[in-house]
Amino acid sequence: MPIHVAIADDHSTVRLGMKYIVQEWMPESVVHFAEDIPKLLGLLGDEPIHIVVLDINIPGGNNFHVIKMIRDIRTDAKILVFSAYEEQRYALRYLDIGANGYLQKNCEDDEIKEALDTVFRGKKYLSASLRDQLVQNRMNRGAGLTGNPIDRLTDRELEVCQLLITGKGVSEIANALFIHTSTVGTYKNKIYQKLDVRNLKELIDAFNDHNDATQM
């Protein structure tokens, strides 16, 4: 039986490039495309999908909750997140909620093939650089990825924070995440408290500064 791989990304060039890599990795694979979450969920219901290569920031989904949406339809599918979001900040969060692996979009083709092979065999995949960083951080500071205040945000707070710094208003965020505007306001207040900021400009500066510090 051939391996069925769903590539969920809203950019056609990414989908085509990933198809080429997937078929190099497994020539007998069957590749399916989804440009948004509704199309992906339909594929999962209609096809025997074994691996989902997922950009979580595509239309119709809301980041962390996309993993649960996939699991509700096909519990046995392997999920490889393939995202522009920085690995140090997001990879462990996605693995904790059910993804099988995490890759940044600037990785090499060979790493993608290694990640596909790893998750297909039922193991978790993180890049070698992140694994090394985790070991080093544990040796230096004990458990935990970093001492960065952004890491103290919950998954939902981080989602709201991402939308705030892209200029989305409270109503837009509420619609995107399917929550009430008052709930967005509560998350916003918690984010400001945890990052010790008073307004959107300070939030953007703090988020950028702390991201830069993570990669030093």
Side-chain angles (χ1 to χ4, degrees), residues 4-17:
H4 287 251
V5 179
I7 300 171
D9 196 289
D10 56 341
H11 295 93
S12 60
T13 53
V14 174
R15 296 195 299 268
L16 292 172

Side-chain angles (χ1 to χ4, degrees), residues 87-89 91-93 95-96 125-146 151:
E87 182 182 42
Q88 291 90 345
R89 175 107 311 113
L92 292 184
R93 291 177 184 262
L95 266 64
D96 285 343
Y125 182 84
L126 291 173
S127 72
S129 62
L130 183 56
R131 291 195 301 269
D132 290 345
Q133 181 183 332
L134 288 170
V135 172
Q136 191 62 48
N137 286 336
R138 183 170 290 275
M139 292 173 62
N140 291 343
R141 291 190 293 271
L145 183 58
T146 70
D151 291 328

Side-chain angles (χ1 to χ4, degrees), residues 31-208:
V31 177
H32 307 266
F33 291 150
E35 67 276 6
D36 56 33
I37 295 303
K39 180 67 181 294
L40 172 62
L41 299 181
L43 277 176
L44 291 168
D46 295 339
E47 304 290 345
I49 303 297
H50 300 96
I51 301 176
V52 178
V53 180
L54 173 69
D55 181 351
I56 41 75
N57 191 27
I58 60 174
N62 50 24
N63 294 350
F64 295 105
H65 287 253
V66 173
I67 304 299
K68 183 180 184 302
M69 295 164 74
I70 293 171
R71 290 279 175 244
D72 285 345
I73 297 173
R74 191 166 290 278
T75 58
D76 57 341
K78 311 301 182 186
I79 304 172
L80 176 60
V81 176
F82 187 59
S83 175
Y85 289 163
E86 66 168 82
E87 182 182 42
Q88 291 90 345
R89 175 107 311 113
Y90 296 94
L92 292 184
R93 291 177 184 262
Y94 277 102
L95 266 64
D96 285 343
I97 61 173
N100 300 90
Y102 191 100
L103 279 175
Q104 280 192 247
K105 286 189 173 181
N106 59 359
C107 66
E108 299 294 333
D109 292 2
D110 286 344
E111 186 174 357
I112 297 173
K113 294 173 189 174
E114 180 185 355
L116 287 166
D117 194 60
T118 300
V119 300
F120 182 66
R121 289 186 287 109
K123 297 183 178 181
K124 299 286 188 179
Y125 182 84
L126 291 173
S127 72
S129 62
L130 183 56
R131 291 195 301 269
D132 290 345
Q133 181 183 332
L134 288 170
V135 172
Q136 191 62 48
N137 286 336
R138 183 170 290 275
M139 292 173 62
N140 291 343
R141 291 190 293 271
L145 183 58
T146 70
N148 195 311
I150 295 177
D151 291 328
R152 295 200 294 270
L153 300 179
T154 66
D155 290 346
R156 186 57 107 182
E157 288 167 357
L158 185 57
E159 287 179 324
V160 173
C161 186
Q162 289 168 343
L163 294 170
L164 285 170
I165 64 177
T166 59
K168 295 287 192 299
V170 170
S171 295
E172 291 177 288
I173 295 171
N175 290 335
L177 300 181
F178 308 107
I179 56 179
H180 197 275
T181 53
S182 62
T183 306
V184 176
T186 299
Y187 285 129
K188 181 179 177 180
N189 289 336
K190 289 181 179 178
I191 291 165
Y192 278 29
Q193 290 173 6
K194 289 182 179 181
L195 299 186
D196 192 24
V197 300
R198 295 167 296 179
N199 53 53
L200 180 58
K201 182 182 183 303
E202 290 185 3
L203 176 64
I204 293 171
D205 290 342
F207 194 87
N208 290 336

